[in-house]
Amino acid sequence: MLLVFIFLYLISGTSDPYVKFKLEGKQFYKSKVVYKNLNPTWNESFTHPLRDREHIVEVRVYDKNRTADEFMGSSTISLKNLELYKTYEMELPLDDPKSKEDDMGVIIVDVCLMFRDPWPITTWPHGNSNVETYQGLSLSNQLKNQMWTGVLGITLVEGQDLPQYGHGDIYVRFRLGDQKYKSKLLVTWRERFDFNQFEDNQEPLQVEVCSKRGRKGEESWGMFEIDLSRLTFNERQLYTHALDPGKGRLVFLVTPRPCWGVSISDIETAPLEKPDERSRVMEKFHLKNSHKCVGEVGFLQVKVIKANDLPTTDLNGKSNPLCVLELGNCKLQTHTIYKTVNPEWNKVFTFPVKDINDVIELTVLDENGDKAPNFLGKVTVPLLSVQNGQQICLLLKKEDLESASKGTITLVLDVIYNTVRAGIGTFQPKETKFIEENLKFSKKILARNIYRVRKISTAVLYTLQYIKSCFQWESTQRSLIAFLIFLVTVWNWELFMLPLFLFLLISWNYFQLTVGKASSNQDLVSAEDSELSTEKRGLMDKIYMVQEVVLAVQNILEEVANIGERIKNIFNWSVPFLSCLTCIVLFVSTALLYFIPLRYIVLIWGINKFTKKLRNPYAIDNNEILDFLKRVPSDVQKVRVQFYIHKPLLTSL
């Protein structure tokens, strides 16, 4: 097999250029972006296997933009007449048929054609000493370029002297290469996130403050860049950057840190298969070292062995599968195996674990040249469910992970972590995903969510009805036992009994599960079955179902809004009588709580509740607080009341 070795190092005529190389319409290499340089130097080399010497390599140059990258011209490299093991320096003029410019610039490359296993190449023309020595196929370089060597920790602190009113929602956008982060719509953010830093990527950190009005209106208040090459590992740098005139300042912290535990290797050289490496990892996360490197929770190794019976995407009944692994915001991928539905990757990937509650996602894609890859299947594995060293064969699922796709994937996973660090990390803010899917309306998801809310509300209502039945003496034995438990508990109540009660409740549920082995997913399965049955309904049934669901959502939202507005209107003195009455009740409650111990007040309340039905069998049970809130008008009712008040006055005039 022949190999083409290309060394890319110069172009002129663009601003933020990068280069794509294609063969038979499929991209096989993409260079890094050189920012703000009309004569950039890449110093990049790569190899690619060829089936014959008749191929023509297409070279396409793009200008990196924040929205859509701009095409800057293309050229071709003919390999037909090249001699083996001879380096050719080529000056390729760029051309764009749609452009009226005659001079689009040039790109300079060194090209060498060779057999698969030549002797190492150690020198290249032009005195370049930064090019790596050739040691095999371009596959090794492509896999290596995925690995990050550092982590850039960014803490978004606050905005100072920002305009307060009439400027919409304010947020901050960060970008480092392909990694993007958008803050919440606040002024004092206090948000923290991490970007991965790659050794061969010297791109600056881009920061932009924006103001959003409505759905489409967006105004930039200033954009600037941070040169990361001047920062030192583990040293925190505080930035207070002035925005556009009159827009204030932005305050944030940047801390670069080294990263450990990222690698891609073959099955034979898996890190945990080496005794020395495994003992080093075990020592690093041993309990006695819990106080060291608290942020490094654990170590994950994933052996991606093979996939079987994948869906076909080509006309010849084959696919070009690759596997993408994601853990939080960290992503690695295998090489592509062409024209097969039973690929064998036999690659080992390792990740540093930041949160033991994370889920490793493996997505099998079909490479589709310049177009977006086709989805073939996906699986997710919680780290806490991993059985170390066990080979598992998982069924691939569709993108929503709710139904099965075609094919399987075979994996071996190992997770080594420190229990103390993992426990501490569980109580810290969860890492935010940089890329979030755009939510779309789905009546299936809406119906399922309504079912979930209804299930929870039903359980709450059942519990309340059970407690209410104790007050109603529907069962004399049950009410008497509840009354005695209430008296004994309240009289002997201490604060430590609350967590003790919750502990006993959780322990009792665990005992019930271990004895009964009850499945907690039966209701969800039945819900899915009911949803599938609704798919078979007629059009009118579906319309009525959606109307019922939307009406239920509307009523729930209205009740929540009414309660919030009524509480607000009490404090706003919208109805002075009710606000005065609230003041009196609060004053009396304060005096009672000051002079009378809380234990006695709860006893009096409970005795009244338990004996109310005995004293008056025909009494109507009520909730005084809710009954009071219903008297307070909501904002909608305030408008209606004011309308009915003023209308007769206007009529009389």
Side-chain angles (χ1 to χ4, degrees), residues 174-376:
F174 292 86
R175 178 173 180 174
L176 182 62
D178 295 330
Q179 303 171 90
K180 303 175 184 178
Y181 180 82
K182 180 180 177 181
S183 73
K184 300 176 183 177
L185 304 176
L186 298 170
V187 178
T188 302
W189 291 278
R190 295 296 193 274
E191 297 181 40
R192 192 187 184 286
F193 57 95
D194 293 334
F195 279 151
N196 293 329
Q197 284 187 287
F198 298 84
E199 185 176 7
D200 61 343
N201 190 345
Q202 302 299 326
E203 298 182 15
L205 174 67
Q206 297 180 354
V207 186
E208 183 178 17
V209 180
C210 297
S211 173
K212 183 177 181 180
R213 298 180 182 179
R215 296 181 59 185
K216 297 183 179 180
E218 183 179 280
E219 177 186 2
S220 177
W221 285 6
M223 180 178 179
F224 54 93
E225 296 180 345
I226 302 297
D227 185 5
L228 303 178
S229 62
R230 301 180 180 179
L231 302 182
T232 306
F233 278 128
N234 296 321
E235 288 190 9
R236 186 173 62 180
Q237 182 69 41
L238 177 65
Y239 289 92
T240 303
H241 201 284
L243 305 176
D244 292 346
K247 302 301 183 182
R249 298 178 300 277
L250 180 68
V251 181
F252 61 97
L253 293 166
V254 178
T255 308
R257 304 188 306 273
C259 183
W260 173 87
V262 185
S263 68
I264 304 176
S265 60
D266 296 326
I267 290 286
E268 298 79 12
T269 59
L272 293 183
E273 300 300 322
K274 305 173 184 177
D276 294 341
E277 184 69 18
R278 188 176 188 91
S279 61
R280 189 167 71 92
V281 174
M282 297 293 292
E283 179 69 18
K284 184 179 182 66
F285 298 105
H286 197 275
L287 282 177
K288 66 181 181 180
N289 297 322
S290 300
H291 62 285
K292 301 178 181 179
C293 303
V294 179
E296 297 180 3
V297 172
F299 178 84
L300 169 66
Q301 176 179 281
V302 184
K303 295 181 182 178
V304 183
I305 300 175
K306 62 181 179 179
N308 293 104
D309 196 24
L310 296 177
T312 60
T313 56
D314 298 339
L315 296 177
N316 59 2
K318 303 293 183 180
S319 297
N320 304 317
L322 61 98
C323 182
V324 179
L325 299 86
E326 296 181 74
L327 182 65
N329 288 312
C330 301
K331 180 186 295 185
L332 295 173
Q333 71 179 50
T334 67
H335 57 287
T336 303
I337 299 181
Y338 294 93
K339 300 186 184 304
T340 180
V341 293
N342 299 292
E344 293 188 10
W345 292 289
N346 290 322
K347 289 293 178 182
V348 180
F349 301 83
T350 62
F351 295 85
V353 177
K354 301 178 183 178
D355 187 350
I356 197 60
N357 303 285
D358 271 341
V359 175
I360 178 72
E361 299 180 2
L362 297 98
T363 306
V364 181
L365 303 173
D366 171 65
E367 184 180 302
N368 196 18
D370 289 340
K371 300 180 182 179
N374 300 315
F375 177 84
L376 299 181

Side-chain angles (χ1 to χ4, degrees), residues 435-499:
I435 302 176
E436 295 184 357
E437 299 178 356
N438 294 327
L439 298 179
K440 297 181 180 180
F441 174 79
S442 170
K443 69 175 178 53
K444 179 180 178 181
I445 296 177
L446 183 60
R448 183 180 61 189
N449 291 340
I450 291 297
Y451 168 80
R452 293 163 60 193
V453 173
R454 186 179 298 171
K455 178 182 174 183
I456 295 174
S457 61
T458 301
V460 174
L461 290 176
Y462 176 80
T463 303
L464 294 177
Q465 289 175 357
Y466 184 86
I467 296 174
K468 183 179 179 180
S469 68
C470 295
F471 295 142
Q472 298 294 330
W473 294 84
E474 295 177 1
S475 171
T476 305
Q477 180 181 2
R478 182 173 61 193
S479 297
L480 184 59
I481 294 175
F483 187 34
L484 294 176
I485 292 176
F486 170 79
L487 292 176
V488 173
T489 302
V490 174
W491 184 256
N492 298 283
W493 175 259
E494 297 293 343
L495 192 58
F496 73 88
M497 293 182 180
L498 178 60

Side-chain angles (χ1 to χ4, degrees), residues 4-9 45-47 86-89 109-114 120-134:
V4 58
F5 192 103
I6 300 177
F7 172 47
L8 167 69
Y9 62 95
S45 63
F46 58 94
T47 61
K86 182 178 179 180
T87 301
Y88 293 85
E89 179 183 336
V109 298
D110 287 337
V111 182
C112 181
L113 199 63
M114 63 191 72
I121 297 176
T122 57
T123 59
W124 286 88
H126 310 292
N128 176 30
S129 60
N130 295 326
V131 180
E132 295 182 354
T133 301
Y134 170 74

Side-chain angles (χ1 to χ4, degrees), residues 77-104:
I77 302 174
S78 177
L79 308 175
K80 183 177 181 180
N81 298 321
L82 300 184
E83 297 181 13
L84 291 176
Y85 306 117
K86 182 178 179 180
T87 301
Y88 293 85
E89 179 183 336
M90 296 184 179
E91 186 176 293
L92 307 175
L94 299 178
D95 178 59
D96 183 5
K98 298 181 180 180
S99 177
K100 297 181 180 180
E101 297 184 14
D102 296 330
D103 185 9
M104 300 292 296

